[in-house]
Amino acid sequence: MVLFRLIAIALALAGLHAGAARADAFDEALTGVRGGYAQVTRGAEALAATGDPRAVDVLNALSEGRLYTAPDDGPIGIGTEQGGDIRLVDPRDGSELGVFGSRDVERIRVNNRVRGAVTAAMGRLQLSSPDPGQRRAAVDGIVREPSPEAAEQLRAAIEREQDTGVRGAMTFALAQIELQTGDREQKLAAIETMKASTDPQARAALGAVSAATAEGAPGADAELHEAAEDAIASVDRTREWLNLLLNIYQGISLGSILLLAALGLAITFGVMGVINMAHGEMIMLGAYTAFVVQQVFRAYAPGAMELYLLAAVPAAFLVSGAAGIAIEQSVIRFLYKRPLETLLATWGISLMLQQAVRLIFGATNQQVANPSWMSGGIEILGGVFLTYNRLIIIVFCLIVLAVIALVLRFSTFGLQMRAVVQNRDMARTMGINTARVDALTFGLGSGVAGMAGAALSQIGNVSPNLGTQYIVDSFLVVVFGGVGQLAGTLTGAMGLGIVNKLLEPYAGAVLGKVLVLVGIILFIQFRPRGLFVLKGRAAEA
């Protein structure tokens, strides 16, 4: 027992001694942060080398121009402006040194070079932070001021790092520094490390090495140059595959939006044979409904703002669905079997709805904020960043598609709708109220368009012209996939979205759309009913 007590006392004394030594080193380094720029830089590096947590506040204050020397060459303090005076606090123990006139204290001046050195010094200091985010940020700071000392500190940090992501960032940063400051063997090892990287900075760093070691350059080295060129080719190949994956993802994202926009159109066009030019305005109404719900939550339930979208989606369905039923009952039902009049009438309705929204909300764009759970994203590979809002919209559109398929397949309303599609006269003789089915079908299609508008409000601004941006693409999806076919709508939306995004890098956005349009025109010359042919009234008309 006595032995244990002696050991405990010895350890305590050793701890106190280490703490006292670190405090002495901090005090000594702090006094060195004054004088000319070179001396201040050395003092900042000495402060960082102490590893004392108090050095972070001092270096921050130095970088921000808040570090002062008290009057009569007194102690150094961190200053805060107070009514034209400067209130100084001692960074060693947090005690107040006093309040002085601005002319009585001397600000420790820094230039850009000193700021760069301070940033690097803080980075090295924070390599030991318990917070992985601070360690990651520290790595970024170190890379800006590469030096053999920084490389050595990174090697030590890599040895003890447990976080995989931070460890990868440290390894990449070490390779970047060794490419600039290392010897020949270290540069070859760094090139090999960067060869497997997908980070865009790796391409730039390898390009610099290749140029510096090319034949005729002052640092010409055939082996280094060849290794750098080989690594550049490897990085380029990897980046090409990543860009292809990224374009496919963006195409799926665009396809999901087109699917939501075209889904309602496929229902109304397929079941009723109505060319509804006001379908885009149903999307617009859904987006404005999301905006109104957001404003209501902001005014009356600010604590529940994270949940406003859950209320906005069904509200958008109800508002657009009700508007669709009202249009069908007041205008379209009198124009059945008169497609040209229906087209002109719905076009006129679309203009009226746009103007009504301008009168109510104004012509300027309205912003709908993302809930926090839809903000940000995830980086799956270097440079491939998947945003949460688009991921959630993709999942949402697939859920909507599945729900509609289930409704059409298993509900009474779906059975009646399919009967009307197959043979309207026979359905009527079987007692089905076809006029009611028409109205509800138009309401369902318009309601789905409203939900599309609520989803679109999460990836862009809301404006009176929102629907017109998607109406042409929606018709293309329906025509390409096959009128009235959900599977065709899904295939058409995803196909058009992916082809558009794959063409854009080579042909541009406008020419890409033109090529897609030409392709669909050629396609329907051979399959005028689209990919999936519907058996029924609309298809046979």
Side-chain angles (χ1 to χ4, degrees):
M1 183 63 73
V2 174
L3 179 61
F4 288 151
R5 287 179 179 176
L6 289 174
I7 292 174
I9 292 171
L11 290 174
L13 290 174
L16 289 172
H17 177 72
R22 193 166 63 179
D24 291 343
F26 176 78
D27 293 349
E28 184 179 349
L30 182 63
T31 57
V33 188
R34 65 176 81 199
Y37 292 137
Q39 188 175 348
V40 171
T41 302
R42 288 194 295 274
E45 290 172 347
L47 266 177
T50 63
D52 195 303
R54 294 171 295 179
V56 175
D57 294 334
V58 177
L59 293 175
N60 268 326
L62 176 62
S63 179
E64 296 168 0
R66 296 187 293 108
L67 202 64
Y68 296 86
T69 302
D72 302 326
D73 203 19
I76 291 174
I78 297 174
T80 306
E81 287 194 11
Q82 192 173 71
D85 296 328
I86 304 296
R87 175 174 172 269
L88 287 186
V89 173
D90 193 332
R92 294 172 295 183
D93 54 10
S95 62
E96 186 169 328
L97 295 174
V99 178
F100 306 97
S102 58
R103 294 183 177 180
D104 298 329
V105 294
E106 182 182 357
R107 174 181 293 172
I108 299 177
R109 301 190 179 281
V110 295
N111 58 11
N112 288 336
R113 189 168 183 177
V114 175
R115 286 194 186 91
V118 169
T119 301
M122 287 185 63
R124 293 194 292 273
L125 182 62
Q126 291 178 336
L127 278 178
S128 302
S129 169
D131 181 4
Q134 286 193 358
R135 296 201 299 276
R136 183 73 177 258
V139 172
D140 296 337
I142 288 176
V143 172
R144 296 192 194 100
E145 293 289 332
S147 66
E149 294 78 15
E152 193 58 40
Q153 287 178 322
L154 270 176
R155 287 191 197 95
I158 290 171
E159 290 294 326
R160 61 176 182 270
E161 183 59 56
Q162 299 296 320
D163 187 293
T164 306
V166 178
R167 187 183 178 91
M170 288 179 174
T171 304
F172 182 72
L174 177 60
Q176 283 182 292
I177 293 174
E178 287 182 337
L179 275 183
Q180 301 176 57
T181 64
D183 56 28
R184 192 167 180 279
E185 294 304 318
Q186 288 176 330
K187 287 182 179 179
L188 284 171
I191 289 173
E192 195 62 26
T193 300
M194 287 198 165
K195 188 176 180 180
S197 173
T198 57
D199 195 306
Q201 295 180 16
R203 177 68 169 77
L206 291 169
V209 173
S210 174
T213 56
E215 186 177 356
D221 187 316
E223 187 180 1
L224 274 176
H225 179 72
E226 186 179 350
E229 286 294 314
D230 182 53
I232 288 172
S234 174
V235 171
D236 285 346
R237 284 194 298 272
T238 307
R239 294 297 307 172
E240 285 177 5
W241 280 107
L242 288 178
N243 286 335
L244 178 63
L245 289 176
L246 188 59
N247 286 333
I248 291 175
Y249 167 71
Q250 290 178 343
I252 293 173
S253 173
L254 175 61
S256 67
I257 294 169
L258 291 178
L259 175 61
L260 280 175
L263 210 49
L265 193 64
I267 295 172
T268 55
F269 197 18
V271 176
M272 306 170 67
V274 173
I275 302 175
N276 180 16
M277 294 300 290
H279 184 76
E281 278 53 53
M282 300 299 106
I283 298 173
M284 179 263 292
L285 286 180
Y288 272 97
T289 302
F291 170 71
V292 171
V293 172
Q294 171 198 252
Q295 297 303 96
V296 169
F297 268 69
R298 186 168 288 166
Y300 299 103
M305 275 297 291
E306 294 296 313
L307 304 176
Y308 88 87
L309 191 59
L310 301 181
V313 171
F317 178 84
L318 293 176
V319 169
S320 294
I325 291 175
I327 293 172
E328 196 275 340
Q329 288 290 293
S330 60
V331 178
I332 292 177
R333 74 188 179 102
F334 301 108
L335 301 174
Y336 282 136
K337 298 184 179 179
R338 295 158 63 185
L340 181 59
E341 286 89 339
T342 306
L343 186 149
L344 291 175
T346 54
W347 182 56
I349 291 171
S350 72
L351 296 179
M352 292 169 60
L353 288 173
Q354 288 182 29
Q355 190 58 33
V357 167
R358 285 193 186 93
L359 291 174
I360 296 172
F361 297 98
T364 56
N365 292 349
Q366 304 293 342
Q367 187 174 11
V368 180
N370 291 136
S372 62
W373 47 273
M374 285 187 73
S375 302
I378 180 172
E379 186 176 6
I380 57 174
L381 289 170
V384 180
F385 193 77
L386 308 183
T387 56
Y388 290 139
N389 57 355
R390 288 188 179 273
L391 281 173
I392 291 173
I393 288 175
I394 291 173
V395 174
F396 174 70
C397 85
L398 294 177
I399 292 173
V400 171
L401 180 67
V403 170
I404 290 178
L406 291 174
V407 168
L408 296 182
R409 179 68 180 84
F410 296 107
S411 72
T412 303
F413 169 64
L415 180 64
Q416 292 176 348
M417 184 190 298
R418 285 185 283 125
V420 172
V421 171
Q422 293 295 321
N423 192 314
R424 172 177 289 267
D425 294 333
M426 182 63 74
R428 188 183 294 117
T429 59
M430 296 297 292
I432 295 175
N433 187 340
T434 56
R436 178 174 172 273
V437 171
D438 287 341
L440 291 178
T441 301
F442 209 88
L444 175 63
S446 300
V448 173
M451 290 195 293
L456 283 173
S457 70
Q458 300 301 306
I459 57 175
N461 290 327
V462 176
S463 73
N465 299 322
L466 176 66
T468 58
Q469 301 170 17
Y470 292 95
I471 187 66
V472 174
D473 286 339
S474 299
F475 273 110
L476 287 179
V477 167
V478 174
V479 170
F480 177 66
V483 177
Q485 286 282 19
L486 295 183
T489 306
L490 172 64
T491 307
M494 292 301 170
L496 289 185
I498 292 174
V499 170
N500 260 314
K501 288 300 177 184
L502 290 179
L503 286 176
E504 277 184 8
Y506 306 100
V510 176
L511 183 57
K513 280 188 176 296
V514 172
L515 291 175
V516 169
L517 180 60
V518 171
I520 290 178
I521 291 173
L522 293 175
F523 173 78
I524 60 177
Q525 300 303 312
F526 300 97
R527 289 186 68 89
R529 296 181 180 180
L531 280 175
F532 296 82
V533 179
L534 177 70
K535 298 294 184 182
R537 174 170 57 107
E540 293 163 0

